[in-house]
Amino acid sequence: MSFTDSPAPAFPFSTTGCPMDPPALATELREERPVTRVTLWDGSRPWLVTRHADIRQALRDPRLSSDVRRHGFPFLSAAQSEAIGEALITFIRMDPPEHTAQRRMLTQEFIVKRMESMRSEIDTTVDALLDRMMAGGAPADLMEAFALPLPSLVICRMLGVPYEDHAYFQTRSQLVQDTTAAPEEVNTALGELAVYLDRLAGEKASEPVDDLISRLVVEQEIPGHLTRHEVAGMALNLLIAGHETTANQIALSVLALQRHPEQWAKLCEHPDLVPAAVEELLRHQSIVPTGLQRVAGEDLEIGGTAIRAGEGVLLQIGAANRDPRAFTDPDRLDVERNAHRHMAFGFGVHQCLGQPLARIELQSALTALVRRLPGLRIAKPLEELDFRHGGNIYGLFSLPVEW
Ligand code: HEM
């Protein structure tokens, strides 16, 4: 189907074509109608923005709000709309100055210097996971054996969440991000996660240790800057944001490189190219299929189109990262490209807080894979791989590999 058939096509777009590329319709719209209406599940018609320059400008504009409590916020499913419980709204869904105050409580936790001090521990975790996967013999599921446990172990350690409980929160956090799940199921999962983290914060309050949740309790809850419930909400957001994202980015990166064997070979020969490759892979492979959600707080203009206060706006960073106006020959994967202007981590005040950590994890994972498993191959054809469609995070449920 071509976009010309519909003045406001249904969104999210169905994924026809190569699952490693943005939907064809998003690409068409970026070229022909870069700011256009789309139709959501509830019949509402927010704007979809697909060009790099327009999204950058929009993300700098304080009139565009991230506040889910504002009328007109573009929820992507009934589950997402109903599951936004007051207590679990944290700064990612707030505007300044509320956003600034909460984000500031965590900035010290994620500064580059602190993250760099974790690099050698992350390298050790990477090696231990690969040792175990390789000892089990090929084929193995790279997602289960490596891509998921790595960020999960790291964020658990940072927060002070027992990793033994990962199956409990992983299944629930996957459900929370599944836009096709029933609202009741999502609410139950969110409630259970909130209770779990609430209880954990309670334990830390009686016996604080050197971890992020303890610091939130001691420095923010006890002096009265946050309630216990807000501490649990913040921890929950970090737990979800901290592992599903990086895990899927690792898996998609490996798959993309395997589909461009000359790029994989280049990295095996020159592992010093890994940091540049990570930026290029973040650009080329988008794990945020639906884009960033905003609502206009006041009348404004994006790319010459008038947006009225109260109208929803979806900023599709995946399409922007393949915009030929921003990147030469954008569909080509080139690990030597200078891709630093990509928007995989967003832009503006909400730009990803965890990006220094994500970068270290991605660099460490890829360096170890090209060094230790240069003969890595995907064990199934692309059509048989289990892609994760229909959620807020795109990726793979499993990735069978051989070496
Ligand atoms: C490859 C991995 C990751 C990607 C692609 C990614 C992507 C993003 C994007 C696009 C945003 C902006 C959302 C918006 O503007 O509405 C964001 C925000 C955020 N991310 Fe990440 N993220 C990743 C990893 C992480 C990790 C590892 C953490 C924490 C441990 C994290 C924590 C956050 C937080 C707390 C925010 C909200 C920031 C704010 O609103 O001020 N992310 N992320």
Side-chain angles (χ1 to χ4, degrees):
M1 185 188 108
S2 164
F3 70 85
T4 45
D5 295 345
S6 167
F11 190 85
F13 299 142
S14 62
T15 39
T16 48
C18 179
M20 308 294 293
D21 291 330
L25 195 49
T27 307
E28 276 186 60
L29 289 171
R30 186 190 62 220
E31 296 312 310
E32 306 296 333
R33 280 175 17 208
V35 183
T36 193
R37 296 257 191 203
V38 289
T39 306
L40 295 184
W41 59 280
D42 59 354
S44 63
R45 303 200 323 155
W47 297 94
L48 180 77
V49 186
T50 38
R51 283 194 186 164
H52 191 275
D54 292 342
I55 295 182
R56 239 174 123 87
Q57 176 227 324
L59 286 172
R60 255 197 303 244
D61 194 326
R63 293 169 297 179
L64 216 49
S65 165
S66 284
D67 194 335
V68 277
R69 295 159 295 189
R70 266 184 200 266
H71 179 70
F73 189 89
F75 292 107
L76 295 169
S77 64
Q80 201 188 53
S81 149
E82 286 178 35
I84 303 286
E86 272 294 317
L88 290 171
I89 300 173
T90 57
F91 58 99
I92 190 164
R93 299 294 192 204
M94 290 174 181
D95 294 331
E98 217 182 355
H99 163 266
T100 324
Q102 283 208 5
R103 180 169 167 131
R104 211 172 267 154
M105 294 175 186
L106 291 172
T107 43
Q108 280 307 308
E109 300 287 343
F110 287 95
I111 51 170
V112 175
K113 206 168 135 206
R114 186 170 199 143
M115 293 297 104
E116 282 298 335
S117 72
M118 288 168 57
R119 194 184 277 270
S120 70
E121 196 184 328
I122 292 174
D123 288 344
T124 308
T125 307
V126 161
D127 272 328
L129 288 169
L130 282 186
D131 285 345
R132 205 168 58 188
M133 182 181 95
M134 289 159 77
D141 178 0
L142 191 78
M143 196 67 191
E144 190 194 345
F146 183 67
L148 202 48
L150 170 65
S152 190
L153 275 161
V154 173
I155 194 69
C156 282
R157 236 176 262 152
M158 260 187 94
L159 289 172
V161 170
Y163 184 69
E164 306 79 79
D165 295 343
H166 76 279
Y168 181 85
F169 56 76
Q170 223 152 274
T171 45
R172 284 161 184 78
S173 82
Q174 276 194 355
L175 195 80
V176 168
Q177 290 169 90
D178 183 352
T179 48
T180 61
E184 314 77 60
E185 268 187 299
V186 174
N187 272 327
T188 308
L190 268 177
E192 287 168 351
L193 286 168
V195 169
Y196 171 84
L197 287 161
D198 215 293
R199 185 185 48 73
L200 196 63
E203 286 166 20
K204 312 260 180 204
S206 8
E207 220 174 310
V209 282
D210 181 16
D211 61 36
L212 197 154
I213 297 183
S214 294
R215 280 190 288 279
L216 278 180
V217 169
V218 172
E219 292 165 20
Q220 310 298 343
E221 183 193 326
I222 294 173
H225 307 311
L226 290 179
T227 63
R228 168 68 52 81
H229 230 58
E230 284 167 337
V231 170
M234 254 194 202
L236 175 58
N237 270 266
L238 290 175
L239 198 59
I240 294 177
H243 70 278
E244 294 287 340
T245 46
T246 314
N248 284 291
Q249 190 71 47
I250 292 173
L252 286 175
S253 297
V254 170
L255 180 56
L257 286 168
Q258 287 297 315
R259 290 179 50 78
H260 296 81
E262 76 298 343
Q263 300 291 311
W264 175 261
K266 210 180 264 184
L267 285 185
C268 292
E269 214 172 305
H270 304 286
D272 52 309
L273 286 176
V274 163
V278 162
E279 300 310 312
E280 172 66 345
L281 289 156
L282 281 161
R283 180 193 74 80
H284 198 265
Q285 291 303 311
S286 181
I287 58 154
V288 189
T290 47
L292 308 183
Q293 295 156 269
R294 299 289 190 269
V295 55
E298 297 172 34
D299 291 353
L300 63 123
E301 220 179 70
I302 301 178
T305 301
I307 315 279
R308 299 257 164 260
E311 289 180 340
V313 178
L314 296 160
L315 305 162
Q316 204 167 35
I317 51 179
N321 281 339
R322 300 280 193 105
D323 185 344
R325 292 155 201 83
F327 304 99
T328 314
D329 198 1
D331 293 330
R332 192 164 54 89
L333 179 74
D334 175 2
V335 295
E336 288 181 271
R337 182 198 295 270
N338 179 356
H340 74 276
R341 288 182 77 243
H342 69 73
M343 277 191 291
F345 291 124
F347 188 67
V349 294
H350 287 280
Q351 196 174 38
C352 180
L353 181 68
Q355 60 181 295
L357 175 60
R359 282 201 164 96
I360 293 174
E361 290 174 338
L362 291 164
Q363 291 169 4
S364 176
L366 210 49
T367 304
L369 285 170
V370 296
R371 282 217 165 104
R372 297 186 59 185
L373 292 170
L376 190 84
R377 300 177 302 282
I378 308 298
K380 276 188 183 174
L382 189 75
E383 318 70 74
E384 288 175 31
L385 293 178
D386 200 3
F387 282 95
R388 191 174 150 166
H389 296 288
N392 288 341
I393 293 185
Y394 184 63
L396 289 144
F397 285 113
S398 62
L399 185 60
V401 292
E402 299 166 334
W403 53 89

